[in-house]
Amino acid sequence: MEGRKAFGWAARDTSGILSPYSFNLRKTGSEDVVLKVLYCGVDHTDLHQMRNEIHNTNYPLVPGHEVVGEVVELGSEVKKFRVGDLVGVGCIVGSCGECLSCQSNMEQYCYNKIFTFNDTNKDGSPTRGGFSSAMVVHQRFVVRIPEKLALDQAAPLLCAGVTAYSPLKQFMGSNKVLNAGILGLGGVGHLGVLIAKAMGHHVTVISSSDKKREEALEILGADAFLVSSNAAEMEGAANSLDYILDTVPALHPLRSYLSLLKVDGKLIIVAAVPKPLQFDADDIILGKKTITGSFIGSMEETREILEFWADKGLKSFIETVKMDYVNEAFERMERNDVRFRFVLDIAGSNLE
């Protein structure tokens, strides 16, 4: 049985072009929250899936997984939320609830997790994301937005923010100042800089060109800027970093970045890259270096990053646009022409 009608924008084929689309929400279950979507962040993963570059896309595809909304209806067993609450939904909307990952508050690693879009709900209906007027989500995968946070500011934290926060959390409380590298200065990267600085780390931004030097140092407050295409700069920074957060969602060589790590350093990959990444075994063996990955964050960590952001008084750097601008926004995002994250004003847009 289907629920209320919703309006959104969907991709129909591998061109990835979005256009208006109407559909019926799934029926509201006893533990479900129905939310009116207010804002939704724009992420590189949306684009990859719109073009069927990862995860075998099922069309029509309604993307969006940095969703901020207002609760408009509750299932009979929902006790954590009330109608009118301002809430967020991130990258996943379901999991098995029984495996070790789920029982350990790491449901993002559940093998039966359900993605916010381009997946299948437990009732067999397709999941559709936040580029839409409304969503139905199980209460376990809904978080409350702190009162101190502006709603459009909160949106990028629900994927990009927690994607940076989850792996950096391990370095909190260090008794020494860590030398951090942030590779890439897009949506995830700029939040990684802000989080690492707020944790007290010495932060070096690593970028392929000099174009973002002023933004990194003057606007985001990074301590140093390194141009990866400058061999002399890279050689001078060899063996200097405790970790690198790699946020680049495109093919890039790992070898030169591994050379920047100290002995026992970590390269943490958090971006979905459509093609295999490569390195030489000697690059890690001779320095006891680690290449590791991290996938978004848990629901607990999502709540933590929202509170962290509010408590520290941090500010996401966003450009808020209406839905009819979304295709141009993706074009600009692809050429790195945004400082640093697009957020769609869903409630202020005509979706039909």
Side-chain angles (χ1 to χ4, degrees), residues 17 22 35 49 55 69 73 93 99 152 157 199 218 220 228 238 252 262 276 283 301 333 335 344 350:
I17 301 297
S22 63
L35 57 119
Q49 295 200 50
H55 296 170
E73 184 185 327
V93 292
C99 67
D152 53 353
L157 303 178
M199 290 178 176
E218 304 300 326
L220 297 176
S228 58
H252 55 288
K262 296 177 181 178
D283 297 335
E301 288 168 334
M333 183 184 73
R335 57 179 190 262
L344 294 172
N350 179 11

Side-chain angles (χ1 to χ4, degrees), residues 7-264:
F7 298 91
W9 279 44
R12 266 72 170 196
D13 54 44
T14 56
S15 71
I17 301 297
L18 297 169
S19 58
Y21 174 68
S22 63
F23 58 94
N24 289 314
L25 298 172
R26 66 177 176 83
K27 183 185 176 185
T28 306
S30 61
E31 290 197 68
D32 285 335
V33 174
V34 184
L35 57 119
K36 173 189 175 184
V37 178
L38 303 177
Y39 294 97
C40 189
V42 176
D43 185 70
H44 245 104
T45 308
D46 296 321
L47 187 60
H48 285 321
Q49 295 200 50
M50 285 153 52
R51 293 177 175 171
N52 194 28
E53 293 172 340
I54 57 174
H55 296 170
N56 296 320
T57 301
N58 293 306
Y59 298 103
L61 177 83
V62 179
H65 57 263
E66 294 179 337
V67 188
V68 173
E70 178 184 351
V71 176
V72 294
E73 184 185 327
L74 297 168
S76 59
E77 294 180 35
V78 177
K79 307 300 180 193
K80 296 197 300 184
F81 301 101
R82 293 182 179 179
V83 170
D85 282 351
L86 299 171
V87 296
V89 176
C91 298
I92 59 174
V93 292
S95 69
C96 76
E98 298 172 357
C99 67
L100 183 59
S101 292
C102 288
Q103 295 296 319
S104 306
N105 287 326
M106 294 193 298
E107 56 284 308
Q108 75 271 33
Y109 298 113
C110 172
Y111 288 114
N112 293 306
K113 60 183 166 288
I114 300 172
F115 288 106
T116 303
F117 68 93
N118 198 33
D119 209 338
T120 305
N121 288 304
K122 291 181 179 179
D123 66 358
S125 63
T127 61
R128 297 184 174 101
F131 290 17
S132 61
S133 58
M135 294 176 69
V136 180
V137 183
H138 191 285
Q139 64 173 341
R140 184 178 178 188
F141 298 93
V142 179
V143 294
R144 197 180 308 278
I145 304 295
E147 285 184 17
K148 293 182 189 175
L149 274 186
L151 299 181
D152 53 353
Q153 284 273 317
L157 303 178
L158 298 165
C159 171
V162 75
T163 293
Y165 176 81
S166 180
L168 296 189
K169 183 180 163 185
Q170 66 185 292
F171 303 114
M172 287 177 79
S174 174
N175 56 9
K176 63 173 186 173
V177 176
L178 294 177
N179 290 314
I182 306 294
L183 176 55
L185 200 60
V188 178
H190 98 277
L191 296 175
V193 173
L194 296 172
I195 292 166
K197 283 295 296 179
M199 290 178 176
H201 302 174
H202 182 280
V203 177
T204 298
V205 169
I206 309 161
S207 189
S208 58
S209 76
D210 216 27
K211 286 190 295 186
K212 294 188 177 180
R213 181 183 295 272
E214 185 178 345
E215 293 176 349
L217 300 176
E218 304 300 326
I219 297 173
L220 297 176
D223 300 288
F225 190 89
L226 187 57
V227 178
S228 58
S229 57
N230 186 317
E233 280 192 28
M234 292 291 282
E235 191 173 337
N239 310 309
S240 66
L241 301 177
D242 292 292
Y243 70 83
I244 295 171
L245 184 72
D246 182 349
T247 74
V248 177
L251 186 64
H252 55 288
L254 297 185
R255 185 171 198 179
S256 57
Y257 304 116
L258 288 166
S259 71
L260 301 175
L261 292 172
K262 296 177 181 178
V263 171
D264 221 9

